[in-house]
Amino acid sequence: MFLREQANKMYTVGAYYLAKIAIETPVMLITPMLYSLIVYFGVGTTITASQFFLFYCTLALVVQTAASFGYFLSSLFQKAETAQQLSGVIMMPIMLFGGQFANSKNIQAWISWFQYISPIRYGLEALATNEFDSRVYNTTGIIRNILTNSTQTF
């Protein structure tokens, strides 16, 4: 009993948090880099250095946000089992309203506010903007195809 009381008084919450962040940050930066290297060049995205690093930075921020949310959930409950059981219930709406499963225009108005607290939505928007904003489309060729019912692609 005495050792447990002494162990609890060895460091403060701030010291524990800073140590945990210092240890986990390199892992939370390396993992998205490996993922970015594999996925970005494998799926046929526009290959420029600035777009790649924006892709990586977006993923790194989403990973940091997810880890922070996990820390927050774990701080709400006394037992780890309770946090694990309720994390699925809490995370499911965040994923559902992230924009990958449902179009935000098709969501009922009374619950559409939930999409604005989903960090997944902002990450998805940043990735889509990164990929598609710099593209230039040949709209004349597309309109010509539609008008002539041609299957030829440009």
Side-chain angles (χ1 to χ4, degrees), residues 33-68:
M33 178 56 81
L34 293 174
Y35 181 82
S36 296
L37 287 171
I38 294 168
V39 170
Y40 190 81
F41 298 109
V43 298
T45 55
T46 307
I47 300 176
T48 63
S50 62
Q51 285 181 305
F52 172 76
F53 285 112
L54 187 59
F55 182 87
Y56 165 69
C57 288
T58 302
L59 290 182
L61 286 174
V62 170
V63 167
Q64 293 285 341
T65 305
S68 298

Side-chain angles (χ1 to χ4, degrees), residues 7-112:
N8 288 338
K9 296 179 184 180
M10 292 177 95
Y11 48 85
T12 63
V13 173
Y16 171 76
Y17 178 76
L18 288 176
K20 185 169 185 63
I21 293 299
I23 294 298
E24 290 184 354
T25 296
V27 173
M28 286 190 274
L29 292 176
I30 292 171
T31 305
M33 178 56 81
L34 293 174
Y35 181 82
S36 296
L37 287 171
I38 294 168
V39 170
Y40 190 81
F41 298 109
V43 298
T45 55
T46 307
I47 300 176
T48 63
S50 62
Q51 285 181 305
F52 172 76
F53 285 112
L54 187 59
F55 182 87
Y56 165 69
C57 288
T58 302
L59 290 182
L61 286 174
V62 170
V63 167
Q64 293 285 341
T65 305
S68 298
F69 192 74
Y71 298 151
F72 173 70
L73 282 180
S74 67
S75 69
L76 290 178
F77 305 104
Q78 294 291 326
K79 294 183 178 180
E81 295 83 17
T82 308
Q84 289 172 348
Q85 291 169 351
L86 292 178
S87 66
V89 174
I90 294 169
M91 285 300 297
M92 186 58 66
I94 289 174
M95 288 188 291
L96 287 174
F97 291 101
Q100 298 157 324
F101 299 112
N103 188 350
S104 61
K105 291 180 177 72
N106 295 338
I107 299 173
Q108 296 293 323
W110 63 273
I111 200 164
S112 66

